[in-house]
Amino acid sequence: MKKLRIATRQSALALWQAEHVAARLRAVHADLNVELVPMTTRGDQIIDRPLAEIGGKGLFLKELEVAMLEHRAEIAVHSFKDVPMQLEPGFAIGAVLERADAADAFISNAYARFDELPRGARVGTSSLRRQAQLRALRPDLELLDLRGNVNTRLAKLDACDYDAIILACAGIERLGLGSRITARLTAPDWLPAVAQGAIAIECRAGDTASRERVQVLDDAHTHRCVAAERTMNLRLHGSCNVPIAGYCVEIEAGLALWGLVGDARSGRLIRASAQGALDDPKTLGERVAELLREQGADEMLRAQP
């Protein structure tokens, strides 16, 4: 049998995603022996500091890409929201799987809805995007950093370190913990991270055989929508160091994209939206980025620490 090795982080969520991809590949390629190659990344090792301070979400990819370069793995599986807008030279996205729930989850053991939080309530999130939207809605809240895997974050909530925390619905549900979701924070009022809920398969750009094997898993609808979101983010020079959000869906007329740039300190938000052709998501992403720039997004992003 032909062998295909998947580089993956060792967290429970990353392993679930890698096993999900492996099962899908085994189902469509009977001659393929799919194995997981779990490893720890620098982003996993440093959990006492915000990602923005230690180099961003790209830290979750580096070791996996090295494994592919050294031919210890053929592909890597990622939460697409963790993938930088521009890949390192020599790598490509081979497939994007069907998107799960893209919404953020409000999780609390004491309050049924976000608007029930008392003044000064402690809310945990390590995301500048979430912090900006929280401050816009409730400047009285005490926002506290929250790092670690899903179970670690839930354990901190259960230990009463926080009154509520904000996580991604997709990750919680993939781990079978959907019952912990108190309420969903949904678009367009609340916008998720770009590509949130989507799983991406990365491979070496020149590895034609692997790219052909994983291509069968590509979901055209999801690929179009995240292409619009990621193009918007790229045109804004976005990373995890700045609060940018985006969400695209297919509509009868084509695609609709909502974008947001925020200030995590003041809670100021700039919003824009537009519609575009189904077969040209990148132009739509560029258009929404330009609309945000016209409202002062560049100045706001340059002012971020």
Side-chain angles (χ1 to χ4, degrees):
M1 297 180 72
K2 299 175 183 177
K3 180 180 290 189
L4 186 78
R5 294 164 297 181
I6 302 176
T8 174
R9 295 162 58 196
Q10 293 187 26
S11 72
L13 178 56
L15 290 171
W16 184 97
Q17 292 176 162
E19 280 290 5
H20 177 67
V21 169
R24 294 280 303 274
L25 288 170
R26 293 181 189 115
V28 296
H29 297 296
D31 64 336
L32 202 57
N33 179 22
V34 185
E35 299 177 358
L36 266 57
V37 182
M39 56 189 64
T40 301
T41 70
R42 182 167 170 77
D44 296 308
Q45 294 166 349
I46 305 175
I47 61 172
D48 59 347
R49 291 153 62 194
L51 278 176
E53 291 183 5
I54 61 174
K57 292 183 177 180
L59 293 175
F60 292 125
L61 276 71
K62 184 63 177 177
E63 285 82 356
L64 310 187
E65 291 177 338
V66 169
M68 288 188 283
L69 286 176
E70 295 179 349
H71 297 274
R72 291 182 282 120
E74 283 68 50
I75 65 173
V77 172
H78 310 293
S79 293
F80 209 179
K81 68 183 180 66
D82 292 339
V83 177
M85 297 306 110
Q86 290 183 301
L87 296 177
E88 291 293 322
F91 294 96
I93 297 299
V96 181
L97 276 63
E98 182 178 1
R99 193 177 213 166
D101 190 343
D104 274 338
F106 170 77
I107 306 174
S108 176
N109 293 328
Y111 306 100
R113 298 193 313 273
F114 174 77
D115 57 12
E116 290 184 3
L117 289 172
R119 286 188 60 82
R122 299 161 300 160
V123 179
T125 175
S126 58
S127 161
L128 295 177
R129 168 189 62 83
R130 289 169 179 153
Q131 290 176 17
Q133 294 183 86
L134 286 168
R135 288 211 186 280
L137 292 169
R138 291 283 304 274
D140 62 286
L141 296 175
E142 182 181 1
L143 305 185
L144 304 171
D145 191 50
L146 177 64
R147 290 286 312 280
N149 60 41
V150 171
N151 284 315
T152 296
R153 298 184 192 197
L154 289 171
K156 291 179 179 179
L157 173 68
D158 293 340
C160 299
D161 293 348
Y162 310 91
D163 296 299
I165 61 176
I166 311 294
L167 301 177
C169 286
I172 300 169
E173 291 172 342
R174 284 169 178 156
L175 292 174
L177 298 171
S179 62
R180 294 300 306 266
I181 297 174
T182 308
R184 295 170 67 254
L185 304 174
T186 57
D189 297 328
W190 178 283
L191 292 182
V194 164
Q196 184 161 301
I199 295 173
I201 303 176
E202 183 183 17
C203 54
R204 296 189 302 275
D207 187 354
T208 305
S210 295
R211 293 187 72 172
E212 289 178 349
R213 289 187 182 114
V214 302
Q215 176 64 33
V216 68
L217 301 187
D218 191 70
D219 181 73
H221 163 71
T222 300
H223 210 141
R224 282 190 291 266
C225 289
V226 298
E229 297 166 17
R230 285 173 60 83
T231 299
M232 179 201 74
N233 203 358
L234 179 63
R235 292 296 180 267
L236 292 168
H237 306 289
S239 69
C240 77
N241 298 323
V242 293
I244 294 176
Y247 186 56
C248 181
V249 296
E250 287 190 9
I251 57 175
E252 187 174 350
L255 295 173
L257 173 63
W258 295 270
L260 176 152
V261 174
D263 185 326
R265 295 166 300 184
S266 70
R268 180 190 172 203
L269 302 179
I270 296 174
R271 294 177 178 269
S273 62
Q275 296 182 11
L278 194 66
D279 60 354
D280 194 6
K282 291 187 177 181
T283 296
L284 176 59
E286 292 168 352
R287 174 60 179 152
V288 173
E290 184 58 32
L291 291 171
L292 290 166
R293 280 204 175 99
E294 290 173 0
Q295 299 179 64
D298 287 339
E299 292 78 8
M300 182 182 288
L301 294 173
R302 281 196 293 267
Q304 298 295 322

